[in-house]
Amino acid sequence: MPFASLRPACLLLLPLVLSACVEGLPADPKAPRMSQKGTCFAYVTAEPGGLFALVSGKGDGTLAPVGQKSKPMAAAAVDAAFAKEVQVLGIMPECLAVYARDRSAAQPAALTTAPVPAAPKA
């Protein structure tokens, strides 16, 4: 089979493979996505020093919606906070779907996370 006949098939599969690599974009098209408007999300990120942080928010239709990030905390504390957050998101009427990733799927915090605003200089 010539290589040229394989190329169109690869081009059709490439977007599906790449979409599985992006946080918030599952391989299953029916699963909740963070980028979907109305999807509430909660996920855990790994922080330096063996700590973890909880990020939660609501999808606004953009690829990387803004979420609220907690302060770094120990594993047991982030597990408890995550469980409580997922329980709250499940009963909120404005959450059309819930995207949740616990500590077992934690990835290092993204470098694109917005920095904490500095206090104004006096």
Side-chain angles (χ1 to χ4, degrees):
M1 180 184 283
F3 177 73
S5 65
L6 291 176
R7 194 169 53 183
C10 292
L11 292 176
L12 292 174
L13 294 176
L14 187 62
L16 294 174
V17 172
L18 291 176
S19 69
C21 299
V22 178
E23 176 71 35
L25 297 176
D28 181 9
K30 295 178 183 174
R33 298 184 315 267
M34 285 177 25
S35 62
Q36 197 170 17
K37 196 170 190 175
T39 298
C40 296
F41 60 88
Y43 62 91
V44 177
T45 61
E47 297 290 320
L51 299 175
F52 300 92
L54 178 63
V55 180
S56 61
K58 184 176 174 187
D60 56 4
T62 61
L63 186 58
V66 178
Q68 186 174 13
K69 185 175 179 180
S70 71
K71 63 181 180 180
M73 55 184 115
V78 82
D79 288 344
F82 176 79
K84 186 175 182 177
E85 186 70 21
V86 170
Q87 184 180 19
V88 169
L89 293 179
I91 60 172
M92 290 177 65
E94 61 267 16
C95 294
L96 303 178
V98 176
Y99 171 85
R101 289 266 172 105
D102 63 4
R103 187 170 49 93
S104 65
Q107 297 179 355
L111 298 176
T112 58
T113 304
V116 176
K121 293 182 180 179

XYZ file of all heavy atoms in Angstrom:
860
model
N 0.857 -1.173 0.000
C 0.000 0.000 0.000
C 0.902 1.235 0.000
O 1.752 1.380 0.871
C -0.895 -0.014 1.241
C -1.808 1.178 1.308
S -2.789 1.240 2.821
C -4.031 0.046 2.504
N 0.729 2.135 -0.943
C 1.582 3.315 -1.014
C 1.302 4.280 0.141
O 0.200 4.345 0.672
C 1.232 3.956 -2.358
C 0.039 3.242 -2.885
C -0.169 2.016 -2.073
N 2.340 5.043 0.494
C 2.263 6.010 1.594
C 1.209 7.082 1.337
O 0.537 7.529 2.252
C 3.638 6.665 1.803
C 3.629 7.714 2.866
C 3.548 7.367 4.200
C 3.680 9.067 2.541
C 3.528 8.328 5.183
C 3.659 10.031 3.524
C 3.591 9.665 4.847
N 1.033 7.489 0.097
C 0.086 8.556 -0.236
C -1.349 8.156 0.104
O -2.164 9.006 0.439
C 0.195 8.915 -1.715
N -1.661 6.886 0.063
C -3.026 6.465 0.389
C -3.273 6.455 1.896
O -4.404 6.513 2.338
C -3.313 5.092 -0.203
O -2.486 4.127 0.403
N -2.227 6.390 2.705
C -2.377 6.417 4.158
C -2.534 7.829 4.699
O -3.121 8.034 5.745
C -1.170 5.767 4.828
C -1.023 4.265 4.643
C 0.258 3.788 5.286
C -2.209 3.548 5.241
N -2.011 8.816 4.017
C -2.003 10.186 4.517
C -3.408 10.733 4.794
O -3.634 11.315 5.851
C -1.232 11.090 3.575
C -0.900 12.413 4.202
C 0.066 13.203 3.402
N -0.423 13.332 2.036
C 0.238 13.924 1.068
N 1.419 14.422 1.297
N -0.247 14.006 -0.139
N -4.405 10.583 3.919
C -5.740 11.108 4.243
C -6.337 10.480 5.501
O -6.981 11.163 6.287
C -6.577 10.774 3.007
C -5.582 10.661 1.896
C -4.343 10.107 2.530
N -6.101 9.204 5.719
C -6.623 8.550 6.920
C -5.958 9.115 8.168
O -6.615 9.328 9.191
C -6.407 7.053 6.840
N -4.660 9.379 8.102
C -3.946 9.954 9.242
C -4.429 11.359 9.542
O -4.536 11.745 10.699
C -2.444 9.964 8.982
S -1.718 8.322 8.937
N -4.728 12.127 8.527
C -5.206 13.488 8.734
C -6.578 13.513 9.392
O -6.905 14.446 10.124
C -5.241 14.251 7.405
C -3.877 14.562 6.788
C -4.046 15.227 5.436
C -3.055 15.433 7.716
N -7.367 12.499 9.169
C -8.676 12.433 9.806
C -8.572 12.040 11.279
O -9.370 12.474 12.102
C -9.580 11.443 9.070
C -10.013 11.859 7.657
C -10.781 10.722 7.006
C -10.861 13.113 7.715
N -7.603 11.224 11.621
C -7.452 10.757 12.997
C -6.636 11.702 13.867
O -6.777 11.698 15.085
C -6.803 9.374 13.007
C -7.636 8.251 12.400
C -6.841 6.962 12.396
C -8.927 8.078 13.165
N -5.801 12.523 13.286
C -4.915 13.393 14.052
C -5.667 14.329 15.002
O -5.281 14.438 16.169
C -4.004 14.184 13.108
C -2.920 15.004 13.773
C -1.973 14.094 14.542
C -2.157 15.787 12.720
N -6.744 15.011 14.603
C -7.451 15.871 15.558
C -8.009 15.125 16.760
O -8.008 15.645 17.870
C -8.583 16.487 14.724
C -8.118 16.387 13.322
C -7.275 15.154 13.256
N -8.455 13.898 16.568
C -8.970 13.120 17.693
C -7.869 12.764 18.673
O -8.061 12.811 19.884
C -9.654 11.851 17.188
C -10.930 12.060 16.374
C -11.418 10.731 15.824
C -11.985 12.704 17.228
N -6.715 12.417 18.161
C -5.589 12.060 19.021
C -5.120 13.284 19.792
O -4.865 13.220 20.991
C -4.441 11.456 18.181
C -3.196 11.269 19.015
C -4.881 10.138 17.571
N -5.010 14.418 19.132
C -4.550 15.634 19.792
C -5.543 16.143 20.826
O -5.143 16.682 21.853
C -4.268 16.725 18.760
C -3.062 16.480 17.862
C -2.949 17.579 16.823
C -1.798 16.368 18.677
N -6.816 15.977 20.585
C -7.806 16.476 21.535
C -7.746 15.716 22.856
O -8.119 16.251 23.889
C -9.209 16.406 20.945
O -9.619 15.068 20.809
N -7.280 14.501 22.852
C -7.162 13.731 24.089
C -6.018 14.221 24.959
O -5.976 13.917 26.135
C -6.971 12.255 23.757
N -5.120 15.022 24.407
C -3.952 15.489 25.143
C -4.180 16.814 25.850
O -3.363 17.234 26.635
C -2.761 15.639 24.197
S -2.293 14.105 23.402
N -5.263 17.491 25.585
C -5.515 18.812 26.143
C -6.373 18.683 27.389
O -7.382 17.984 27.388
C -6.216 19.711 25.097
C -6.524 21.076 25.674
C -5.364 19.827 23.852
N -6.000 19.357 28.471
C -6.768 19.328 29.716
C -8.171 19.862 29.454
O -8.349 20.916 28.878
C -6.080 20.202 30.769
C -6.837 20.323 32.072
C -6.818 19.046 32.884
O -5.805 18.349 32.858
O -7.819 18.750 33.526
N -9.159 19.136 29.883
C -10.530 19.581 29.730
C -11.186 19.135 28.439
O -12.367 19.353 28.247
N -10.446 18.526 27.555
C -11.011 18.051 26.302
C -10.869 16.534 26.233
O -9.863 16.018 25.792
C -10.302 18.698 25.108
C -10.440 20.199 24.993
C -9.595 20.710 23.829
C -11.883 20.592 24.794
N -11.869 15.788 26.704
C -11.775 14.336 26.720
C -11.867 13.738 25.327
O -12.346 14.378 24.394
C -12.966 13.923 27.578
C -13.941 15.021 27.372
C -13.126 16.285 27.211
N -11.415 12.505 25.184
C -11.479 11.822 23.903
C -12.923 11.487 23.541
O -13.266 11.421 22.372
C -10.632 10.553 23.939
N -13.773 11.298 24.535
C -15.184 11.000 24.289
C -15.929 12.298 23.991
O -15.998 13.188 24.841
C -15.788 10.328 25.519
C -17.252 9.962 25.349
O -17.769 10.075 24.218
O -17.868 9.564 26.346
N -16.491 12.448 22.790
C -17.153 13.709 22.448
C -18.409 13.999 23.267
O -18.859 15.126 23.323
C -17.491 13.548 20.964
C -17.396 12.114 20.675
C -16.512 11.488 21.702
N -18.972 12.999 23.938
C -20.175 13.215 24.738
C -19.848 13.592 26.182
O -20.734 13.989 26.932
C -21.043 11.960 24.721
C -21.587 11.652 23.338
C -22.400 10.398 23.345
C -22.857 10.079 21.930
N -23.525 8.809 21.827
N -18.590 13.472 26.587
C -18.187 13.801 27.951
C -18.151 15.315 28.137
O -17.940 16.061 27.188
C -16.814 13.196 28.234
N -18.348 15.789 29.376
C -18.304 17.227 29.633
C -16.926 17.812 29.305
O -15.904 17.176 29.534
C -18.581 17.346 31.135
C -19.120 16.040 31.554
C -18.655 15.027 30.568
N -16.929 19.025 28.763
C -15.687 19.723 28.431
C -15.651 21.052 29.167
O -16.664 21.751 29.246
C -15.596 19.976 26.930
C -15.573 18.722 26.092
C -15.379 19.036 24.618
N -16.185 20.137 24.119
C -17.380 20.021 23.544
N -17.923 18.830 23.430
N -18.022 21.074 23.095
N -14.482 21.428 29.673
C -14.340 22.712 30.355
C -14.620 23.869 29.411
O -15.086 24.911 29.835
C -12.924 22.865 30.914
C -12.661 22.056 32.130
S -10.976 22.142 32.784
C -10.334 23.666 32.233
N -14.330 23.696 28.144
C -14.513 24.774 27.183
C -15.969 24.968 26.788
O -16.310 25.926 26.111
C -13.681 24.493 25.930
O -14.119 23.295 25.322
N -16.834 24.093 27.230
C -18.251 24.156 26.895
C -18.960 25.111 27.861
O -18.800 25.017 29.079
C -18.849 22.759 27.008
C -20.152 22.576 26.344
C -20.523 21.098 26.317
O -19.962 20.294 27.058
N -21.460 20.749 25.476
N -19.704 26.039 27.311
C -20.416 27.014 28.131
C -21.400 26.294 29.051
O -22.151 25.425 28.616
C -21.158 27.988 27.224
C -21.607 29.233 27.909
C -22.115 30.243 26.909
C -22.314 31.558 27.611
N -22.682 32.618 26.684
N -21.363 26.636 30.341
C -22.265 26.029 31.313
C -21.714 24.814 32.023
O -22.345 24.295 32.932
N -20.528 24.349 31.624
C -19.919 23.204 32.296
C -19.121 23.696 33.499
O -18.217 24.510 33.360
C -18.985 22.431 31.356
O -19.753 21.919 30.269
C -18.302 21.283 32.075
N -19.468 23.222 34.671
C -18.714 23.563 35.876
C -17.561 22.572 35.999
O -17.707 21.408 35.668
C -19.608 23.488 37.098
S -20.942 24.705 37.063
N -16.409 23.069 36.458
C -15.252 22.189 36.533
C -14.545 22.310 37.871
O -14.626 23.339 38.549
C -14.276 22.465 35.386
C -13.733 23.874 35.349
C -12.594 24.222 36.051
C -14.369 24.845 34.588
C -12.099 25.513 36.006
C -13.878 26.132 34.529
C -12.731 26.474 35.240
N -13.884 21.231 38.238
C -13.036 21.179 39.427
C -11.942 20.167 39.138
O -12.223 19.037 38.757
C -13.831 20.762 40.657
N -10.694 20.606 39.269
C -9.579 19.677 39.085
C -8.435 20.057 40.006
O -8.355 21.183 40.492
C -9.123 19.609 37.628
C -8.586 20.900 37.041
C -7.231 21.203 37.096
C -9.433 21.797 36.412
C -6.747 22.374 36.549
C -8.959 22.957 35.862
C -7.605 23.247 35.931
O -7.124 24.416 35.388
N -7.576 19.092 40.268
C -6.454 19.262 41.187
C -5.171 19.383 40.386
O -4.957 18.630 39.436
C -6.372 18.063 42.167
C -5.179 18.184 43.086
C -7.661 17.946 42.976
N -4.324 20.339 40.762
C -3.011 20.491 40.136
C -1.932 20.208 41.167
O -2.115 20.434 42.362
C -2.796 21.915 39.581
O -2.868 22.854 40.652
C -3.827 22.255 38.532
N -0.814 19.691 40.697
C 0.338 19.432 41.566
C 1.145 20.715 41.700
O 1.451 21.375 40.711
C 1.191 18.323 40.981
N 1.476 21.066 42.910
C 2.253 22.271 43.207
C 3.639 21.857 43.709
O 3.837 20.718 44.124
C 1.540 23.107 44.277
C 0.184 23.634 43.852
C 0.270 24.705 42.793
O 1.164 25.555 42.858
O -0.570 24.671 41.874
N 4.602 22.758 43.683
C 5.932 22.421 44.195
C 5.893 22.041 45.680
O 5.028 22.501 46.426
C 6.724 23.721 44.000
C 5.973 24.503 42.980
C 4.539 24.096 43.112
N 6.802 21.208 46.088
C 6.911 20.809 47.485
C 5.949 19.706 47.893
O 5.689 19.527 49.079
N 5.400 18.965 46.936
C 4.500 17.877 47.268
C 3.107 18.326 47.680
O 2.357 17.546 48.253
N 2.759 19.576 47.409
C 1.440 20.098 47.739
C 0.543 20.073 46.504
O 1.007 19.839 45.395
C 1.561 21.520 48.284
C 2.387 21.665 49.568
C 2.532 23.128 49.942
C 1.759 20.877 50.704
N -0.738 20.336 46.718
C -1.719 20.330 45.641
C -2.621 21.548 45.774
O -2.768 22.108 46.855
C -2.566 19.049 45.700
C -1.762 17.808 45.555
C -1.253 17.147 46.670
C -1.481 17.283 44.303
C -0.507 16.000 46.541
C -0.731 16.138 44.166
C -0.238 15.498 45.286
N -3.242 21.952 44.651
C -4.194 23.062 44.665
C -5.451 22.639 43.907
O -5.389 21.845 42.973
C -3.585 24.303 44.026
N -6.580 23.178 44.322
C -7.861 22.895 43.688
C -8.243 24.081 42.808
O -8.216 25.225 43.255
C -8.937 22.673 44.750
C -10.353 22.407 44.252
C -10.416 21.108 43.454
C -11.319 22.360 45.418
N -8.571 23.805 41.547
C -9.019 24.834 40.612
C -10.468 24.526 40.277
O -10.798 23.403 39.911
C -8.161 24.834 39.324
C -8.645 25.905 38.356
C -6.694 25.033 39.655
N -11.334 25.528 40.405
C -12.745 25.322 40.087
C -13.309 26.553 39.407
O -12.788 27.655 39.549
C -13.546 25.002 41.354
O -13.468 26.081 42.263
N -14.360 26.353 38.645
C -14.990 27.461 37.940
C -16.088 26.960 37.027
O -16.550 25.822 37.133
N -16.486 27.836 36.102
C -17.567 27.510 35.169
C -17.117 27.867 33.767
O -16.599 28.955 33.526
C -18.820 28.286 35.538
C -20.028 27.952 34.693
C -21.239 28.707 35.194
C -22.411 28.480 34.268
N -23.537 29.323 34.647
N -17.297 26.944 32.831
C -16.916 27.174 31.445
C -17.707 28.316 30.835
O -18.916 28.422 31.031
N -17.006 29.171 30.089
C -17.653 30.324 29.471
C -17.620 30.270 27.946
O -17.913 31.250 27.277
C -17.016 31.621 29.955
C -15.516 31.670 29.700
O -14.980 30.727 29.088
O -14.892 32.659 30.104
N -17.242 29.128 27.401
C -17.195 28.976 25.955
C -15.816 29.189 25.363
O -15.620 28.988 24.173
N -14.833 29.586 26.176
C -13.472 29.744 25.686
C -12.693 28.452 25.909
O -13.094 27.619 26.716
C -12.744 30.905 26.407
O -12.687 30.621 27.806
C -13.466 32.224 26.185
N -11.565 28.315 25.207
C -10.772 27.089 25.317
C -10.180 26.917 26.709
O -10.086 25.811 27.222
C -9.653 27.080 24.271
C -8.849 25.796 24.177
C -9.756 24.604 23.874
C -7.793 25.923 23.112
N -9.778 28.010 27.346
C -9.195 27.950 28.688
C -9.966 28.891 29.615
O -9.555 30.026 29.840
C -7.724 28.326 28.645
N -11.098 28.437 30.170
C -11.876 29.319 31.038
C -11.133 29.638 32.327
O -10.303 28.865 32.794
C -13.136 28.505 31.327
C -12.735 27.103 31.122
C -11.674 27.114 30.066
N -11.425 30.789 32.874
C -10.785 31.232 34.110
C -11.421 30.499 35.281
O -12.636 30.387 35.369
C -10.953 32.752 34.282
C -10.333 33.221 35.588
C -10.328 33.479 33.108
N -10.571 30.009 36.160
C -11.050 29.322 37.351
C -10.421 29.925 38.589
O -9.454 30.680 38.518
N -10.976 29.603 39.712
C -10.451 30.076 40.981
C -9.546 28.997 41.551
O -9.946 27.845 41.701
C -11.597 30.376 41.933
C -11.160 31.011 43.218
C -12.357 31.413 44.064
O -13.486 31.011 43.794
N -12.106 32.187 45.085
N -8.302 29.393 41.879
C -7.314 28.432 42.384
C -7.134 28.618 43.878
O -6.965 29.734 44.361
C -5.980 28.662 41.659
C -4.923 27.666 41.992
C -3.699 27.913 41.142
C -2.593 26.946 41.453
N -1.412 27.191 40.638
N -7.179 27.506 44.601
C -6.994 27.555 46.050
C -5.516 27.689 46.385
O -4.652 27.521 45.531
C -7.538 26.284 46.695
O -6.705 25.179 46.381
N -5.249 27.955 47.638
C -3.852 27.973 48.089
C -3.341 26.532 48.124
O -4.130 25.588 48.240
C -3.755 28.618 49.465
C -4.491 27.858 50.530
C -4.394 28.531 51.875
C -5.165 27.670 52.873
N -5.170 28.166 54.193
N -2.033 26.326 48.012
C -1.481 24.968 48.079
C -1.801 24.304 49.419
O -1.778 24.952 50.462
C 0.022 25.179 47.926
C 0.145 26.480 47.204
C -1.002 27.316 47.695
N -2.148 23.021 49.359
C -2.488 22.283 50.577
C -2.036 20.835 50.468
O -1.673 20.377 49.388
C -3.988 22.385 50.857
C -4.898 21.957 49.737
S -6.640 22.217 50.133
C -7.067 23.455 48.937
N -2.068 20.147 51.585
C -1.645 18.751 51.650
C -2.644 17.857 50.918
O -3.762 18.263 50.610
C -1.521 18.319 53.114
N -2.224 16.630 50.668
C -3.039 15.686 49.905
C -4.397 15.422 50.556
O -5.422 15.441 49.878
C -2.279 14.379 49.725
N -4.425 15.199 51.853
C -5.695 14.901 52.534
C -6.632 16.105 52.470
O -7.845 15.947 52.263
C -5.436 14.514 53.984
N -6.089 17.293 52.619
C -6.916 18.502 52.587
C -7.487 18.749 51.196
O -8.656 19.113 51.056
C -6.103 19.710 53.044
N -6.678 18.536 50.160
C -7.181 18.763 48.806
C -8.203 17.690 48.424
O -9.169 17.978 47.710
C -6.041 18.874 47.773
C -5.530 17.522 47.326
C -6.489 19.668 46.562
N -8.038 16.469 48.903
C -9.023 15.422 48.640
C -10.375 15.784 49.256
O -11.422 15.625 48.624
C -8.547 14.076 49.179
C -7.420 13.478 48.358
O -7.204 13.933 47.219
O -6.758 12.549 48.868
N -10.358 16.296 50.494
C -11.597 16.695 51.162
C -12.236 17.888 50.448
O -13.454 17.904 50.234
C -11.318 17.033 52.625
N -11.422 18.864 50.073
C -11.943 20.038 49.367
C -12.518 19.648 48.009
O -13.558 20.159 47.590
C -10.847 21.087 49.210
N -11.853 18.737 47.304
C -12.326 18.274 45.999
C -13.669 17.561 46.132
O -14.599 17.822 45.361
C -11.293 17.353 45.360
C -11.739 16.765 44.049
C -11.685 17.514 42.890
C -12.223 15.471 43.978
C -12.113 16.985 41.680
C -12.640 14.928 42.778
C -12.583 15.688 41.625
N -13.783 16.672 47.106
C -15.035 15.937 47.308
C -16.187 16.887 47.610
O -17.288 16.746 47.059
C -14.874 14.926 48.442
N -15.929 17.883 48.448
C -16.968 18.854 48.783
C -17.346 19.695 47.563
O -18.523 19.947 47.313
C -16.488 19.754 49.919
C -17.538 20.699 50.426
C -17.057 21.473 51.628
C -18.166 22.368 52.140
N -17.761 23.077 53.354
N -16.354 20.124 46.784
C -16.609 20.944 45.593
C -17.419 20.177 44.556
O -18.365 20.715 43.972
C -15.291 21.415 44.980
C -15.448 22.376 43.839
C -15.950 23.741 44.247
O -15.831 24.110 45.429
O -16.472 24.455 43.372
N -17.089 18.919 44.314
C -17.830 18.111 43.343
C -19.268 17.901 43.812
O -20.209 17.943 43.012
C -17.118 16.765 43.092
C -17.981 15.811 42.296
C -15.802 17.005 42.380
N -19.455 17.724 45.116
C -20.799 17.566 45.663
C -21.609 18.845 45.454
O -22.774 18.786 45.046
C -20.714 17.226 47.148
C -22.037 16.950 47.796
C -21.887 16.611 49.269
O -20.881 16.909 49.894
N -22.910 15.994 49.826
N -21.015 20.001 45.679
C -21.704 21.278 45.483
C -22.016 21.495 44.002
O -23.116 21.916 43.647
C -20.853 22.441 46.045
C -21.401 23.788 45.619
C -20.789 22.350 47.567
N -21.054 21.208 43.124
C -21.279 21.400 41.693
C -22.406 20.515 41.177
O -23.130 20.888 40.252
C -19.993 21.119 40.902
C -18.830 22.080 41.116
C -17.632 21.644 40.285
C -19.210 23.502 40.804
N -22.553 19.350 41.772
C -23.598 18.420 41.345
C -25.008 18.901 41.635
O -25.958 18.471 40.985
N -25.176 19.807 42.598
C -26.526 20.282 42.932
C -26.793 21.705 42.453
O -27.912 22.185 42.566
C -26.792 20.177 44.447
C -25.804 21.019 45.245
C -26.774 18.742 44.902
C -26.117 21.105 46.723
N -25.774 22.365 41.908
C -25.978 23.737 41.427
C -26.773 23.714 40.122
O -26.392 23.037 39.173
C -24.627 24.434 41.210
C -23.898 24.736 42.497
S -22.276 25.483 42.253
C -22.717 27.025 41.500
N -27.886 24.449 40.066
C -28.723 24.416 38.859
C -28.059 25.038 37.632
O -28.405 24.693 36.513
C -29.977 25.196 39.269
C -29.588 25.994 40.446
C -28.460 25.278 41.111
N -27.106 25.952 37.820
C -26.453 26.571 36.658
C -25.383 25.693 36.024
O -24.873 26.004 34.959
C -25.867 27.948 37.003
C -24.814 27.929 38.064
C -25.347 28.154 39.470
O -26.542 28.041 39.717
O -24.520 28.438 40.330
N -25.040 24.599 36.670
C -24.070 23.662 36.102
C -24.810 22.677 35.192
O -25.503 21.780 35.666
C -23.336 22.897 37.205
S -22.286 23.931 38.220
N -24.662 22.866 33.901
C -25.320 21.980 32.950
C -24.616 20.628 32.865
O -25.213 19.625 32.506
C -25.356 22.641 31.574
C -26.047 24.007 31.534
C -25.976 24.594 30.138
C -27.478 23.904 32.015
N -23.320 20.617 33.178
C -22.526 19.393 33.234
C -21.382 19.643 34.213
O -21.075 20.791 34.544
C -21.973 19.040 31.858
N -20.752 18.586 34.685
C -19.640 18.718 35.637
C -18.428 17.963 35.102
O -18.512 16.784 34.760
C -20.022 18.175 37.029
C -18.832 18.229 37.973
C -21.195 18.958 37.604
N -17.292 18.679 35.018
C -16.008 18.090 34.646
C -15.168 18.051 35.917
O -14.956 19.090 36.549
C -15.326 18.950 33.576
C -13.905 18.545 33.279
C -13.637 17.533 32.375
C -12.840 19.167 33.910
C -12.342 17.148 32.107
C -11.540 18.795 33.646
C -11.291 17.789 32.745
O -9.998 17.415 32.482
N -14.714 16.878 36.331
C -13.964 16.749 37.586
C -12.788 15.800 37.402
O -12.926 14.726 36.820
C -14.880 16.236 38.689
N -11.623 16.217 37.917
C -10.414 15.383 37.935
C -9.809 15.466 39.329
O -9.465 16.552 39.795
C -9.373 15.901 36.931
C -9.733 15.678 35.492
C -9.082 14.367 35.039
N -9.536 13.998 33.725
C -8.819 14.110 32.626
N -7.616 14.592 32.678
N -9.316 13.719 31.479
N -9.674 14.325 39.982
C -9.145 14.315 41.343
C -7.618 14.289 41.368
O -6.959 14.419 40.345
C -9.739 13.151 42.130
C -9.370 11.801 41.552
O -8.596 11.752 40.583
O -9.859 10.785 42.078
N -7.075 14.097 42.545
C -5.625 14.153 42.742
C -4.888 13.071 41.966
O -3.731 13.258 41.565
C -5.316 14.032 44.239
C -3.863 14.251 44.602
C -3.670 14.352 46.110
N -4.310 13.302 46.868
C -3.722 12.174 47.229
N -2.476 11.944 46.890
N -4.376 11.279 47.938
N -5.520 11.933 41.705
C -4.841 10.860 40.975
C -4.514 11.271 39.542
O -3.617 10.718 38.930
C -5.697 9.596 40.973
O -6.889 9.809 40.244
N -5.239 12.241 39.002
C -4.995 12.741 37.645
C -4.329 14.115 37.657
O -4.317 14.794 36.636
C -6.314 12.809 36.884
N -3.779 14.526 38.800
C -3.195 15.863 38.930
C -1.971 16.021 38.037
O -1.121 15.137 37.970
C -2.809 16.135 40.373
N -1.926 17.141 37.353
C -0.792 17.498 36.522
C -0.151 18.747 37.107
O -0.804 19.500 37.825
C -1.241 17.756 35.092
C -1.825 16.535 34.434
C -2.284 16.820 33.018
O -2.246 17.941 32.558
N -2.726 15.792 32.333
N 1.124 18.986 36.808
C 1.754 20.205 37.318
C 0.977 21.442 36.878
O 0.411 21.479 35.790
C 3.142 20.186 36.688
C 3.378 18.758 36.334
C 2.026 18.166 36.033
N 0.942 22.442 37.745
C 0.229 23.681 37.437
C 0.777 24.289 36.158
O 1.978 24.294 35.917
C 0.371 24.666 38.594
N -0.112 24.781 35.321
C 0.282 25.361 34.036
C 1.063 26.650 34.242
O 0.823 27.403 35.177
C -0.963 25.641 33.199
N 1.990 26.891 33.345
C 2.769 28.118 33.410
C 1.938 29.326 33.000
O 2.311 30.455 33.261
C 3.999 28.000 32.505
C 4.977 26.896 32.887
C 6.098 26.815 31.856
C 5.557 27.138 34.265
N 0.794 29.078 32.380
C -0.040 30.180 31.919
C -1.032 30.650 32.972
O -1.845 31.509 32.698
C -0.824 29.760 30.664
O -1.619 28.618 30.980
C 0.108 29.440 29.518
N -0.972 30.078 34.173
C -1.877 30.503 35.230
C -1.618 31.963 35.546
O -0.478 32.387 35.673
C -1.661 29.652 36.508
O -1.812 28.289 36.156
C -2.642 30.036 37.585
N -2.672 32.727 35.668
C -2.531 34.156 35.942
C -1.874 34.359 37.294
O -2.218 33.694 38.272
C -3.890 34.832 35.913
N -0.904 35.275 37.383
C -0.252 35.516 38.665
C -1.195 36.227 39.641
O -2.136 36.893 39.230
C 0.934 36.415 38.291
C 0.521 37.074 37.028
C -0.374 36.104 36.328
N -0.903 36.073 40.907
C -1.683 36.737 41.935
C -1.389 38.238 41.833
O -0.223 38.642 41.743
C -1.298 36.210 43.326
C -2.029 36.950 44.416
C -1.557 34.727 43.405
N -2.418 39.094 41.830
C -2.166 40.525 41.711
C -1.358 41.032 42.898
O -1.601 40.659 44.042
C -3.558 41.150 41.687
C -4.534 40.046 41.782
C -3.817 38.765 41.901
N -0.427 41.901 42.601
C 0.420 42.484 43.640
C -0.319 43.615 44.336
O -1.191 44.264 43.745
C 1.716 43.003 43.027
N 0.020 43.839 45.587
C -0.599 44.932 46.343
C -0.132 46.259 45.733
O 1.016 46.386 45.321
C -0.201 44.842 47.808
N -1.017 47.253 45.678
C -0.628 48.537 45.117
C 0.457 49.198 45.965
O 0.435 49.098 47.181
C -1.914 49.359 45.116
C -2.849 48.641 46.014
C -2.388 47.222 46.106
N 1.381 49.844 45.279
C 2.472 50.525 45.987
C 1.960 51.841 46.551
O 1.245 52.574 45.901
C 3.639 50.781 45.038
C 4.292 49.500 44.585
C 5.462 49.779 43.685
C 6.080 48.471 43.254
N 7.218 48.692 42.359
N 2.352 52.123 47.766
C 1.883 53.357 48.423
C 2.779 54.523 48.119
O 3.855 54.485 47.741
C 1.801 53.135 49.932
